[in-house]
Amino acid sequence: MAIPASDIQFAGSIPALYDEYLVPMIFEPYAAELAARVAALAPSRVLETAAGTGVVTRAMARALPAGAELIATDLNQPMLDRAAATGTPRPVHWQQADAMQLPFEDASFDVVVCQFGAMFFPDRAAAYAQARRVLRPGGVFLFDVWDRIEDNEFADVATQALAELFPSDPPRFLVRVPHGYHDRQVIERDLANAGFAANPGFETVAARSRAASAHAAAFAYCEGTPLRNEIEARSGSFAEATAVCEAAIARRFGTGPVDSKIQAHIVTARR
């Protein structure tokens, strides 16, 4: 199924809001996990695809030795601009690039890493084939994807709340894209079609998602992701949509600081 253009548009105010609200709420725990796994491989040259606003990039910049070269790419230049403006504790090369058409030579990286980006690739097997092409023999492709939405509670509650606000045409971005690519057999098939060997590593990792308030959690999803584009397309008010999600999250998790389950799969494929 083709991915609508609005599902991969991270522009306007989204990069800043994404970085400020969503990154600490759901991405940072897995960023530290991926960075530790990359560092354990002792690579000399690392490529990151779909780097977004750089949460994994920053974690790898801290975890990798000074001599390791780190190149971080993303399709959306505004996301990279935000990442570069935030900065890293060591030099990183930021480069706009399409994961399905990587502008790098064959066999030029020890590790290719991608956090929560595979769900956005229009042709995942093609993107994986590109990752394999640029890996050196024995190199590792390491990525993670979100598990089903029912195991990611804030996202699930927000989606159900928006379905009540827009009953005739409920926004389904969170189900369709971030939480729409979790089936192990599908992922293994796509990797096999890209030329990776059978039986990649596949580990399900649960973590906790924390926000300062129900409002912060609701705001992160409604205005810091392409869900915002769906709300706008329905002539909806961001304030109203956020308020509806906030109320639903507060009913489930309380009115103070909130805490919920998140869950993802970490996949390791070797060239």
Side-chain angles (χ1 to χ4, degrees), residues 75-117:
L75 179 65
N76 290 277
Q77 186 64 47
M79 297 290 271
L80 289 178
D81 291 343
R82 174 75 184 192
T86 301
T88 54
R90 47 162 289 180
V92 170
H93 178 68
W94 305 99
Q95 183 170 339
Q96 191 278 335
D98 185 342
M100 296 193 299
Q101 294 179 319
L102 292 173
F104 304 106
E105 294 182 0
D106 295 358
S108 54
F109 293 94
D110 301 298
V111 175
V112 176
V113 62
C114 180
Q115 173 164 267
F116 301 122

Side-chain angles (χ1 to χ4, degrees), residues 30 37 147 151 182 184 202-206 263-266:
Y30 292 102
R37 292 179 184 229
D147 203 348
D151 288 312
H182 53 79
R184 178 172 184 165
F202 196 97
E203 184 178 350
T204 300
V205 178
Q263 189 160 291
H265 305 305
I266 300 178

Side-chain angles (χ1 to χ4, degrees), residues 213-225:
S213 65
H215 174 77
F219 188 85
Y221 282 109
C222 290
E223 303 201 39
T225 76

Side-chain angles (χ1 to χ4, degrees), residues 38 43 51 62 81 87 93-94 103 109 132 143 169 178 229 231 267-268:
V38 172
R62 292 188 293 270
D81 291 343
H93 178 68
W94 305 99
F109 293 94
R132 185 180 184 278
F143 67 98
D169 187 17
N229 301 328
I231 294 168
V267 184
T268 306

Side-chain angles (χ1 to χ4, degrees), residues 137-189:
V140 173
F141 179 32
L142 180 65
F143 67 98
D144 55 11
V145 295
W146 292 115
D147 203 348
R148 61 184 195 139
I149 198 167
E150 292 83 359
D151 288 312
N152 291 269
E153 295 173 326
F154 286 157
D156 192 29
V157 170
T159 296
Q160 293 179 39
L162 291 173
E164 295 179 6
L165 181 61
F166 301 102
S168 63
D169 187 17
R172 299 285 291 172
F173 166 75
L174 294 175
V175 178
R176 184 174 61 250
V177 183
H179 300 284
Y181 186 60
H182 53 79
D183 186 285
R184 178 172 184 165
Q185 290 184 333
V186 173
I187 295 168
E188 290 182 345
R189 180 200 67 200

